[in-house]
Amino acid sequence: MGRPANNLCPNGYNGQVKRDLRPLRWIGSAKKDLLAMPDEVQQVFGFALFNAQIGLLHPLAKPLKGFGSAGILELEEDWRGSAYRAVYTVRFAHAVYVLHCFQKKSKRGIATPKQELEVMRERLRQAEARAKEVEG
């Protein structure tokens, strides 16, 4: 039996992933807020964030409107009549920053509520400051 292609071990472990995995950095209460969501939503968002860590774009990830860059992405998941969102940035080479996770309460339209956008902008500023410290 020959060696599997693409540096995969026979059990499917890919050593390349661990080497290329960008860490997640949580801003504000984003992690606590994600963990308060239903397990099914956590699994979907968790897998999408893992994709970001290894440099892939999950099909649910869309550029967040109003932030001027594809480097700010939003995940949307509807579960049992409730809408959940997670927002993260891949702007920085050393890490993926999770800016905000929330349940969308507004029943009016699909627009993200202004209050949530303000939280995202503030947390993006915090992420930029942390990234400057790390990248020096």
Side-chain angles (χ1 to χ4, degrees), residues 41-103:
V41 175
Q42 289 181 45
Q43 289 175 9
V44 170
F45 287 172
F47 185 65
L49 291 170
F50 172 74
N51 275 245
Q53 287 181 278
I54 61 174
L56 299 176
L57 184 65
H58 189 276
L60 285 180
K62 296 183 257 182
L64 183 63
K65 293 178 182 173
F67 280 77
S69 166
I72 310 295
L73 298 152
E74 180 178 37
L75 303 168
E76 301 178 358
E77 179 69 9
D78 294 325
W79 177 252
R80 295 193 174 173
S82 295
Y84 298 91
R85 305 289 184 263
V87 177
Y88 65 97
T89 182
V90 293
R91 281 186 181 175
F92 311 108
H94 71 280
V96 174
Y97 286 86
V98 184
L99 304 175
H100 194 34
C101 298
F102 63 101
Q103 181 178 356

Side-chain angles (χ1 to χ4, degrees), residues 16-60:
Q16 182 81 20
V17 169
K18 186 172 183 180
R19 192 170 59 240
D20 295 342
L21 190 68
R22 291 166 54 187
L24 286 179
R25 300 286 184 243
W26 301 89
I27 303 296
S29 62
K31 187 173 186 177
K32 178 181 71 87
D33 297 336
L34 176 65
L35 293 175
M37 293 179 180
D39 289 344
E40 294 79 5
V41 175
Q42 289 181 45
Q43 289 175 9
V44 170
F45 287 172
F47 185 65
L49 291 170
F50 172 74
N51 275 245
Q53 287 181 278
I54 61 174
L56 299 176
L57 184 65
H58 189 276
L60 285 180

Side-chain angles (χ1 to χ4, degrees), residues 85-125:
R85 305 289 184 263
V87 177
Y88 65 97
T89 182
V90 293
R91 281 186 181 175
F92 311 108
H94 71 280
V96 174
Y97 286 86
V98 184
L99 304 175
H100 194 34
C101 298
F102 63 101
Q103 181 178 356
K104 187 172 175 269
K105 306 276 187 192
S106 174
K107 301 294 181 202
R108 294 175 292 149
I110 60 170
T112 303
K114 189 175 185 177
Q115 171 186 334
E116 303 296 350
L117 291 170
E118 290 171 8
V119 169
M120 291 175 217
R121 284 191 177 89
E122 174 55 32
R123 291 186 180 172
L124 178 58
R125 283 191 285 276

